[in-house]
Amino acid sequence: MKNKLRSSFNTRQYMVSSDFEVFFYQDKNFKTLSPHAHDYYECYLFIEGDVTMEIFNPNGDSSHYEMSPGDLMLVPPGIYHHALMHDSDKDYKRFVFWISKDCCEKLTQESVDYMYLIQKAEAFKRYIYHLTPASFHLVESKFLRLLEEIAGDRYGSGAIRHLCLCDLILTINRIIYEDDHQKSGSEELTLFQNILSYVETNLEDTLSLDDIARQFFVSKYYIAHLFKDTLGVSLHQYIIKKRLEECRNAITAGSSITTTYEKFGFRDYSSFFKAFKKEYGMSPKEFQNLSALKVISSSQNIAITDTK
C-alpha cells in the first residue's frame, strides 16, 4: 500500500493548501537542501536512511541529530533546519506533515489537547523524540490512513480527512504526553496487539518472521518469544490459523479452492491441503461439498416453509 501512496519529492518549501499537507517520500540520491524555515509547522517521521538532521537555534548555533527509525521531529515556524544526507545510495524514507498556524488555531478551539507537542517545542526548544516500535507503528498507520483517504475520492471524504487529521495529531500528542508523564502501561502488550492487527490486515502478503521484525524494528527472536509466551503458539502457527480461517470463510462464500489458497499465501495445494485437513478434520474439497449441501438444505427448508 505504501508504494501507491508515495509522493514524488518536490523541493518547494511552502504550502499550497490553507490547512495541511501530508507526504510519504522514498528517495535515492537525495540532494541535501539548504537550511530553510517555514511559516507553518512541520512534523516529520523518519523511517529509513543515512541522515543527520541539523536544526538551528534562534542565536544561530545548530544541533545535529543522527536520525534513527522511529524518530519524530516537530519544527515550529521560523526554525531553520535541513536534512544532511550521508549515503545517497540508501533509500531515504519518511513521512512529512505540514499544518498551517490557522489550522492549528481552529483545532485549539476544539481542544487544547491538540497542541501539547507544539507548545512543548516552542517553549522548551525540543524538536526530536524517539518513538518505541509499538508507538512508531501506530503513528505510521495513522499517516497511511490519512494519505489513503486523501488519495481516494469517496463519499464524505472531506469529513473523514478531518477525522483522520485529528486522529493523527491526537495520537502523536498522547504518545509524547504519556511518555513525558511516565504513564504506566505495557509496551509489550501494545506491540503484541499491533502485530496481531498487522498480520490480520496483511494475510495476502509474505508475512515472514524477518519481514515483521523489520516492520516493527524489533528482534525476530523477541517476536518469537512474545507469541510463544502469550498465545502458546509460534507466529508462523498463528498466521497459518488466520489464513485457514479466511480460506474457510471464502470457500463457504463460494470461492474456488484454487483461487482461495493462492490468495491467502499458501505456496501450493499440497501444503494447503495438509494444513486445512489438520485444522478442520476434512479436505478442502470435502468442506466445500459439505458447505454446498448445507446451502441446498437451507434453501429447501425455506422453500417448504414458504409453501405452508
Side-chain angles (χ1 to χ4, degrees), residues 1 137 197-207 243:
M1 181 173 70
H137 182 65
S197 177
Y198 180 79
V199 166
E200 290 179 4
T201 55
N202 293 275
L203 287 171
E204 298 177 24
D205 297 335
T206 305
L207 288 180
R243 282 177 167 160

Side-chain angles (χ1 to χ4, degrees), residues 155-170:
Y155 174 79
S157 60
I160 295 294
R161 288 174 193 173
H162 179 72
L163 291 174
C164 291
L165 168 69
C166 294
D167 191 21
L168 170 64
I169 296 173
L170 284 175

Side-chain angles (χ1 to χ4, degrees), residues 94-257:
R94 69 278 188 205
F95 291 100
V96 176
F97 171 56
W98 295 342
I99 184 167
S100 69
K101 290 185 282 187
D102 286 344
C103 187
C104 287
E105 289 176 6
K106 292 176 182 176
L107 289 175
T108 304
Q109 293 173 6
E110 295 181 23
S111 172
V112 294
D113 292 338
Y114 289 108
M115 295 299 110
Y116 180 78
L117 186 56
I118 284 176
Q119 292 170 345
K120 186 172 181 181
E122 293 180 329
F124 299 103
K125 307 297 185 288
R126 183 180 174 187
Y127 307 120
I128 293 184
Y129 300 81
H130 183 71
L131 305 185
T132 65
S135 295
F136 165 80
H137 182 65
L138 179 61
V139 173
E140 180 188 43
S141 70
K142 305 299 183 183
F143 268 112
L144 291 172
R145 181 69 184 89
L146 178 57
L147 281 165
E148 186 179 34
E149 194 59 42
I150 292 171
D153 186 19
R154 302 172 63 189
Y155 174 79
S157 60
I160 295 294
R161 288 174 193 173
H162 179 72
L163 291 174
C164 291
L165 168 69
C166 294
D167 191 21
L168 170 64
I169 296 173
L170 284 175
T171 297
I172 292 172
N173 278 280
R174 174 179 283 182
I175 288 169
I176 301 304
Y177 178 90
E178 292 183 349
D179 183 63
D180 287 345
H181 293 77
Q182 298 180 341
K183 183 177 176 66
S184 62
S186 173
E187 180 186 330
E188 187 174 88
L189 178 59
T190 303
L191 173 62
F192 177 71
Q193 291 171 335
N194 284 334
I195 293 175
L196 291 183
S197 177
Y198 180 79
V199 166
E200 290 179 4
T201 55
N202 293 275
L203 287 171
E204 298 177 24
D205 297 335
T206 305
L207 288 180
S208 70
L209 182 56
D210 286 330
D211 290 338
I212 295 175
R214 282 193 294 271
Q215 177 71 23
F216 289 89
F217 304 116
V218 292
S219 162
K220 63 182 180 180
Y221 304 106
Y222 178 78
I223 293 178
H225 284 296
L226 182 61
F227 266 77
K228 202 69 176 178
D229 294 343
T230 307
L231 290 181
V233 298
S234 68
L235 173 63
H236 176 70
Q237 290 172 318
Y238 176 78
I239 291 171
I240 292 297
K241 282 182 174 293
K242 297 303 294 184
R243 282 177 167 160
L244 287 171
E245 287 178 14
E246 291 298 323
C247 289
R248 181 195 62 192
N249 294 338
I251 292 171
T252 301
S255 296
S256 74
I257 292 174

